[in-house]
Amino acid sequence: MSAMTRDGLQYYRNVTGSLEAKAKSKGGRLPLYEHMRLSYCKKPFLYFDTDEEITQLAYDAANNIQYLGEEGKIEARPVDNDYWFRVWQTFQETMEEMARRGIHPREIIGDRDKFAQYFHDGEPVGLRLLKGVSFAPFKKLLKFSRRDYVQDMLNIGRFRISPASSYNNPAYNVAMADVEVERRYRVSLISEYMDGEDFIEVKGNRIPVSQGYLPVDFPLPDYYLFSTCGLPERRMPTDFQSNAALLIHRPREFVRRIKVALQNAQPTWQFMEGPVKYYDRYKDIPSDQDQEFYKEFKFAYQAEHRIILRPNGIGHYTNLQPFFVEIGNLSDIAEMLHT
C-alpha cells in the first residue's frame, strides 16, 4: 500500500463536478461508461492500491471482457446482463484510476498477452472442439479434459473428485491454480478518508483511516470440489490443456446421479451445487456462509459450475485425498467432443 495524501482526492472531485454538470445539461442522461466513472469518482476505493495492484486488476478485467468468438476473432462481451456489467464496471474503474496516476493502458498487458497463447499452434483448439456448440449460460455443462479421460466419463461415468486444497499447486498454470480454502476481502475506508476522518474504532482498537482498508480474511475448512463450465468458452481447452470435452445436455439429471454416488462415498458430508459467484474484494464483503462458491474476479470468464462436498458441522479435515466415483454410462444425457 503506497503512502498517500488527501491532495490526490482533488482529481475525483474535479471529474465528479464535470460529469454532474454534463448530466444536468443533458437532462440527467450520461453514457453508461460515464455513469461508471461518476460512480467510482464519488467513492474511489482503489485509491490506496499500489500501481501493481491496479494494473493487475485492469489486466484481469480486460481478460474477462474479451472472448474468443466462433470465427476465431477476439471480441468484446456486450454489457447485457449483471454478470458482464460488473466486469465492465471494474474495467472502467481501473481505467479511471490509471488515468489519475498517469499509467498508460499499454502497461496493462506488458509481457502478459494471454490471448497470444491460444494461437500459438495456429487455429485455437477451442474453435475446433466447440464448433457449432451454443447454449444459454448453465443450460448445459462442459467438462474439459484429455480424450481418454473424457471417454471414461461418457462410457462409465468415471470422475475424479479432488480436495479444494490441491488446487494451490505451483505446477498448475494461472487458469487452474487458486487458493480455494481462503477468501480475501477488503473493507474500504475511502469514505471516511474523504470526509477528513483520521481514525475509526474497530472492536476497541483505533485504526488509522490512512491505512486505506480493513483486510477481511475468510478461511475455509478443506472440502471436495468438482467443476464444470457453464458456457461454451473457447479459451478453456487451451487453459486446461484439453483436447476433448464432455458436453452434458441435461445438467439436472447429471447432478442427481453424481449426488447419489458422492453421498454414498461420503455419507456424513454435505452436498451442494450451483454456479460460482466471482467476487470483487471491495464490493462483495462476505455475508453468505457458503464461501465455497465464491472465487476471485479474475476467473469470471470461466463461468464455473461447482459440486461441493463439505464437512457437516464445524469439523476440519486435513490431508484429504482425491477419489473417483463411477455413475454409469452417460450417453443418454451427454456426448463426447474431441478434436
Side-chain angles (χ1 to χ4, degrees), residues 133-257:
V133 176
S134 178
F135 55 86
F138 300 100
K139 295 300 183 182
K140 298 184 180 183
L141 297 174
L142 284 157
K143 181 64 175 177
F144 296 98
S145 191
R146 285 173 26 188
R147 183 171 178 173
D148 51 341
Y149 294 158
V150 174
Q151 191 73 65
D152 280 348
M153 294 178 196
L154 181 66
N155 290 344
I156 59 175
R158 180 176 170 83
F159 296 95
R160 188 176 193 266
I161 313 299
S162 299
S165 58
S166 67
Y167 289 90
N168 187 17
N169 186 337
Y172 288 165
N173 63 32
V174 294
M176 300 168 66
D178 193 18
V179 181
E180 292 283 6
V181 292
E182 185 177 44
R183 308 289 180 262
R184 293 185 173 182
Y185 299 90
R186 293 177 177 180
V187 178
S188 175
L189 300 178
I190 190 63
S191 295
E192 291 82 357
Y193 190 76
M194 294 180 80
D195 289 342
E197 297 181 37
D198 293 319
F199 295 92
I200 61 169
E201 291 282 338
V202 178
K203 295 182 178 180
N205 298 313
R206 294 186 80 211
I207 306 297
V209 170
S210 59
Q211 178 175 306
Y213 57 82
L214 299 175
V216 178
D217 294 342
F218 200 111
L220 297 170
D222 205 0
Y223 55 95
Y224 283 108
L225 167 64
F226 175 81
S227 299
T228 52
C229 180
L231 283 176
E233 178 58 59
R234 293 169 181 82
R235 294 153 59 183
M236 295 289 280
T238 299
D239 284 356
F240 285 81
Q241 301 164 3
S242 305
N243 62 359
L246 185 72
L247 174 57
I248 302 167
H249 295 287
R250 295 167 56 194
R252 292 297 92 202
E253 176 60 18
F254 173 76
V255 168
R256 186 193 69 78
R257 295 182 192 183

Side-chain angles (χ1 to χ4, degrees), residues 11 14 51 66 110 125 139 141 149 196 215 292 304 316 337:
Y11 171 91
N14 291 343
D51 289 354
Q66 298 177 95
V125 63
K139 295 300 183 182
L141 297 174
Y149 294 158
E292 294 88 350
E304 182 182 345
H316 286 236
L337 309 175

Side-chain angles (χ1 to χ4, degrees), residues 78-90:
V79 190
D80 59 358
N81 58 44
D82 289 343
Y83 190 90
W84 297 119
F85 176 86
R86 282 168 56 89
V87 178
W88 274 104
Q89 188 173 34
T90 298

Side-chain angles (χ1 to χ4, degrees), residues 45-63:
F45 51 85
L46 299 174
Y47 183 66
F48 292 94
D49 284 24
T50 65
D51 289 354
E52 292 76 14
E53 287 177 315
I54 294 298
T55 53
Q56 181 63 53
L57 184 59
Y59 171 78
D60 292 339
N63 184 45

